[in-house]
Amino acid sequence: MTEHESCRELLQGLSAYIDNEASENICREIERHLEECDNCRIMLDTTRKTISLYQTIDRADQMPSGIEERLLKTLHIDDAWPGTGDDASIETS
Amino acid sequence: MDKENPASIEALQTGDREAYARMVELYSPKIYRLVLRMVDDPLEAEDILQETFLNAFRAIQKFEGRSSLGTWLYRIATNQALMHLRKRSPTLVSVDEPIPGLDDPDQMRELVDWCCLPEEEFMTTETQAKLKEAIQGLTPALKTVFILRDLHHLTTRETAQILDISESAVKTRLLRARLQLRDALSSYFTELVKETDND
C-alpha cells in the first residue's frame, strides 16, 4: 500500500476513531500509522481541535431571555407555568 | 436522548397545559440553539422555534413514542429549519467541497499543526467570526449532521431517525463535515501560526 493510500484509509476511519467507535484492529492500524506519519497526526489533532472549538462557541450561545416568554404567549400557555392547574385545552390556531 | 415518562406523554395528549409548558421549558433552549446554528439568524431562529412548538402541539396526538419526545421535536425543528434554508436559495444546488486527501489521495499536502497556538488566539472576535463563516459554508445536509452529532451530542441512530437517513449516511456526512470545517479553518490558523513564529 502506498503512503497516500494509508493516509486516505486513516482519513476514512478518522471519525470513528475520534468517537471511540473504531474496532480494536482499526485502532491499532491507525495508531501504528500515526506513529510514522506526522501529517496524519496533525490531521487528527486539528480535527479534534476544530470540533472542540465549535463546542465551546455553541455552549456560549444561550437562548436570550424573553424568547421563552414570547413562545409561551404564542402558544397560549403563558399562565400555565409554574403549574396553575388550568385544564383548558391548547389553542394552536 | 432520554426516554420520557409515559405519564408526561399522556398528559400532553390529553391537553394538559402544564405539561405543555414543561415541555417548552425543557426543550426550547436546545431547539433554539439548534436552529440558530442552522440558519444563523436570531429572528429567523425564533420564528422556527415557534413553528416547531405549534406544529408539535398540533401533531402530539399522532406521537406514538417510537422515538423519544426530544428526538421527535428535533425532527420537527430540523425540517422547519431546512425548509427556511431552501426558501432562502431555492435554486441553489448544494455541492460538497472536495476534501484534500479523501477525495483525491494525491492531494494530501503538508499540514501545519495549529493546535499549538496560544489559547487566546482561539477566543478572538475574528476567530469566532471565522468559525461561524466556516460552518455556514457547509451544505445544509452536512451542517445539520455536524450540529446534531457534535454540538448536541445525539447518537448516530438518533441523528439518522431525525433526518430519515441511514446510519451509514450519518457517519459519512459527519466525516465530511468535520474534515471540511477543519480544512476551512486551517488556512486561517496556519497564517496565525506563521505570524506567531515571526514575532
Side-chain angles (χ1 to χ4, degrees), chain A residues 8 39 54 57-58 76 88, chain B residues 17 33 102 109 128 131:
Chain A
R8 185 164 188 248
N39 235 20
Y54 278 103
I57 60 163
D58 200 60
H76 305 290
Chain B
R17 304 171 81 246
R33 231 166 20 91
L102 186 67
R109 51 179 185 248
Q128 306 285 307
L131 287 164

Side-chain angles (χ1 to χ4, degrees), chain A residues 8 11 15 19 39 43 46-47 49 54-55 57-58 61 70 74 76 79 81 83 88 90 92, chain B residues 17-18 20 25 33 37 46 50 58 102 105-106 109 111 115 119 128 131 134 150 153 175 178 182:
Chain A
R8 185 164 188 248
L11 272 187
S15 256
D19 297 333
N39 235 20
M43 177 67 83
T46 48
T47 305
K49 185 71 183 174
Y54 278 103
Q55 289 171 339
I57 60 163
D58 200 60
D61 269 344
R70 287 195 289 277
T74 304
H76 305 290
D79 57 345
W81 184 259
I90 299 297
T92 55
Chain B
R17 304 171 81 246
E18 202 180 306
Y20 280 107
E25 210 214 8
R33 231 166 20 91
R37 193 65 65 216
E46 187 172 347
Q50 296 198 350
R58 288 188 189 114
L102 186 67
D106 294 331
R109 51 179 185 248
L111 302 175
C115 294
E119 232 9 69
Q128 306 285 307
L131 287 164
D150 278 343
H153 308 289
L175 172 67
R178 285 169 166 178
R182 193 214 72 86

Side-chain angles (χ1 to χ4, degrees), chain A residues 21-72:
Chain A
E21 287 173 1
S23 70
E24 243 177 78
N25 276 351
I26 301 277
C27 282
R28 261 201 301 275
E29 271 177 42
I30 288 179
E31 277 151 18
R32 199 176 308 133
H33 180 73
L34 287 172
E35 277 175 23
E36 299 160 356
C37 181
D38 261 0
N39 235 20
C40 284
R41 186 193 51 75
I42 295 172
M43 177 67 83
L44 172 68
D45 290 346
T46 48
T47 305
R48 278 187 171 142
K49 185 71 183 174
T50 298
I51 297 166
S52 123
L53 287 174
Y54 278 103
Q55 289 171 339
T56 306
I57 60 163
D58 200 60
R59 273 195 298 271
D61 269 344
Q62 297 300 321
M63 184 166 77
S65 59
I67 290 190
E68 186 180 295
E69 206 180 312
R70 287 195 289 277
L71 178 59
L72 290 168

Side-chain angles (χ1 to χ4, degrees), chain B residues 110-129:
Chain B
E110 193 97 343
L111 302 175
V112 171
D113 191 351
W114 44 263
C115 294
C116 55
L117 277 166
E119 232 9 69
E120 56 266 24
E121 292 288 359
F122 296 116
M123 302 297 150
T124 63
T125 314
E126 197 187 342
T127 300
Q128 306 285 307

